[in-house]
Amino acid sequence: SRILSLMPKPKAAALINALKARTIDDSEQSKDIKRKRDMREKAAGIVVPPIENLARREKCLDDPVRFLLHYGQPDPDKPAELQDGRFWMPFAAHHYSMIDAIYSRAVSGGDKAMAAPRGEGKSTVVFWMLIFILLKQLRRHPCGIGQTNAKAKEKLFDPVLTQFQWNPFLMADFPEVCYPLKELDGAPQRAKKQHHNGVKTRIKATQDHLQLPIVNGYPLNYGLSTLDYYGFDSDIRGSRHDFAAIDDPEKREVAFSQRNGGRKAQHEVIEDLIDSDVAGLAFPNSTIPRVVITTIQNRRCYSYRVTSRDVKKGGKPAFEGDRFGILVTWPTDRDLWDEYIALRHSSQAAGDKDGKAAVDFFLANRAAMEAGAEVSNPERYDHANPLEVCALQAFFNRVADWGLDRV
């Protein structure tokens, strides 16, 4: 005011008016900033729909097989070959055993190893059981471990996130998990502001980490439960988890690797990592359940040892290993199948890729050729090929085309 008194009155009046106008402008700008902030805050709020069928949800949570078959059922609007991550064929005995192995270890702890044939949907069972473990709240911080970081992400992490975001059956009965994830719409940065009824969901869905949202008002609160993944080519140490699902730990070159001088074979390195680094993921004063689901490629590889209970042959009885092959029992008359393979080879050499003469031979002698045989999965054959009529025939087709050690 003293400075203004020394100024000419017209100039002082102009300065006062300018200061008043600036104050008004600043006030309007502040209001505009607040209004936009409130709009963003409101836009970040989500309204989660109610559970569609609570009784169905509870029944499925009480039975992991029912859970997988209902929520993992095929999309009726898509052809079978596009049903990635869904169960479009009936379960076989080894599928039930895998489900039970993962469930029982998630409940009571301990280690388990199971070997099953390639192409049987092992990874699909594993990632669906990770979903079940989280939603049943058997464990709050499980992890999936694969051959490599990229494989673990592809087979055990991304499918879980995809099912949470896009599976209509899960969305119907677990909206408090699925809806907030879907609302991120592929933009993980939205997670910081997302809230439900004014409470931040604290959801996270990045390329390598999933944290489930806090959503109140539902039977279970899944908030802050997490899922992570690792590969044996990445650093596993340092994190803490309460369950480890290990899916197909060996690539072919690892399974067939050999010692080189004083260096261990790669499959021995994998064994060391599972027994040290993976075991070391446990929280303090606890142990981490480890379930290995794998395929045996030879009698030296880690998968062979971990599913063996014979200590003298390098087995690991603590993992209570079980093995499932394509054949449970071989057919009684192997000579007929040798003739089938020879006919298939000769027909293919003559230009008939399907070996029609061998097919005719099988159909004419089917009862005798199937006698004594039992397959682990009766659905394991090419249903679209009219010349392949059962799983046993499909097995011997692969033996003829690829060799027994590659089937």
Side-chain angles (χ1 to χ4, degrees):
S1 58
R2 183 179 177 184
I3 295 174
L4 290 173
S5 65
L6 298 173
M7 296 174 61
K9 288 185 178 181
K11 192 172 183 179
L15 180 58
I16 291 172
N17 289 333
L19 290 172
K20 287 181 178 180
R22 182 174 179 179
T23 301
I24 293 172
D25 289 343
D26 287 346
S27 177
E28 289 299 323
Q29 186 178 16
S30 298
K31 288 179 181 179
D32 185 57
I33 292 171
K34 183 177 182 304
R35 182 168 60 253
K36 290 178 179 177
R37 184 173 61 243
D38 291 345
M39 289 174 63
R40 288 194 298 269
E41 188 73 17
K42 185 177 181 180
I46 57 172
V47 178
V48 179
I51 297 168
E52 183 176 287
N53 191 322
L54 181 59
R56 177 178 63 203
R57 162 175 157 150
E58 291 177 344
K59 284 182 180 179
C60 288
L61 286 175
D62 286 340
D63 181 352
V65 172
R66 181 195 289 263
F67 182 95
L68 267 62
L69 289 176
H70 176 70
Y71 297 112
Q73 66 180 283
D75 187 331
D77 297 326
K78 292 182 179 180
E81 61 270 18
L82 297 180
Q83 301 289 338
D84 191 29
R86 303 292 183 92
F87 301 108
W88 54 275
M89 287 200 307
F91 285 159
H94 51 277
H95 295 116
Y96 291 111
S97 294
M98 278 188 275
I99 293 168
D100 180 67
I102 296 171
Y103 175 71
S104 62
R105 291 331 186 259
V107 170
S108 57
D111 297 326
K112 181 68 180 178
M114 285 189 59
R118 291 177 295 176
E120 288 285 327
K122 299 188 301 295
S123 299
T124 303
V125 170
V126 172
F127 87 68
W128 269 103
M129 284 304 295
L130 287 172
I131 292 175
F132 177 80
I133 287 170
L134 283 167
L135 296 182
K136 179 68 174 175
Q137 292 192 323
L138 297 176
R139 303 278 168 164
R140 293 187 67 90
H141 305 287
C143 66
I145 301 175
Q147 298 170 2
T148 63
N149 209 52
K151 279 291 183 184
K153 176 178 170 57
E154 174 193 344
K155 292 190 171 186
L156 302 178
F157 183 80
D158 287 349
V160 171
L161 191 56
T162 296
Q163 296 300 327
F164 277 147
Q165 290 176 315
W166 301 107
N167 184 307
F169 308 110
L170 280 174
M171 181 70 73
D173 288 352
F174 296 91
E176 72 271 41
V177 172
C178 299
Y179 192 79
L181 282 166
K182 189 173 184 179
E183 281 296 289
L184 295 180
D185 197 24
Q189 64 271 19
R190 294 180 180 178
K192 293 182 180 180
K193 295 183 178 297
Q194 189 186 83
H195 62 89
H196 174 255
N197 289 340
V199 178
K200 290 288 181 65
T201 62
R202 297 181 66 182
I203 190 173
K204 294 179 182 178
T206 64
Q207 291 292 316
D208 56 5
H209 178 70
L210 172 63
Q211 180 168 290
L212 299 187
I214 297 172
V215 177
N216 298 317
Y218 289 79
L220 297 172
N221 195 327
Y222 297 108
L224 309 186
S225 294
T226 62
L227 177 67
D228 295 277
Y229 67 90
Y230 305 94
F232 290 109
D233 60 346
S234 61
D235 187 10
I236 297 176
R237 296 183 179 185
S239 302
R240 289 289 175 261
H241 295 282
D242 53 16
F243 186 88
I246 304 167
D247 179 55
D248 268 338
E250 296 172 294
K251 298 184 290 185
R252 180 176 176 81
E253 55 266 32
V254 171
F256 283 87
S257 63
Q258 298 185 23
R259 293 183 180 181
N260 184 4
R263 298 180 64 181
K264 291 183 177 182
Q266 293 179 54
H267 54 79
E268 294 175 314
V269 174
I270 294 293
E271 182 173 358
D272 289 346
L273 289 171
I274 291 174
D275 288 343
S276 57
D277 290 18
V278 176
L281 294 174
F283 284 91
N285 302 320
S286 67
T287 57
I288 182 170
R290 298 170 297 173
V291 178
V292 180
I293 305 295
T294 189
T295 297
I296 295 173
Q297 301 186 55
N298 60 55
R299 290 177 174 267
R300 300 191 322 273
C301 66
Y302 171 72
S303 298
Y304 184 84
R305 295 194 300 276
V306 77
T307 54
S308 170
R309 305 189 186 200
D310 189 342
V311 179
K312 293 181 180 179
K313 295 183 178 180
K316 302 175 77 68
F319 278 85
E320 299 182 354
D322 288 318
R323 294 170 178 168
F324 294 86
I326 296 176
L327 293 189
V328 179
T329 58
W330 285 78
T332 304
D333 196 334
R334 295 282 294 276
D335 290 340
L336 287 173
W337 283 107
D338 288 342
E339 189 170 349
Y340 175 89
I341 291 173
L343 282 169
R344 184 172 175 86
H345 285 165
S346 61
S347 295
Q348 289 173 333
D352 178 10
K353 65 181 179 61
D354 295 314
K356 184 67 165 54
V359 177
D360 292 340
F361 177 80
F362 171 64
L363 295 176
N365 299 277
R366 184 169 182 176
M369 295 176 74
E370 289 183 335
E374 181 184 350
V375 294
S376 61
N377 186 355
E379 298 296 324
R380 189 184 170 93
Y381 66 96
D382 186 352
H383 292 241
N385 182 359
L387 298 179
E388 194 166 272
V389 298
C390 69
L392 182 63
Q393 181 202 8
F395 171 75
F396 280 99
N397 283 346
R398 309 300 179 265
V399 171
D401 296 347
W402 305 342
L404 180 59
D405 60 335
R406 292 181 175 85
V407 177

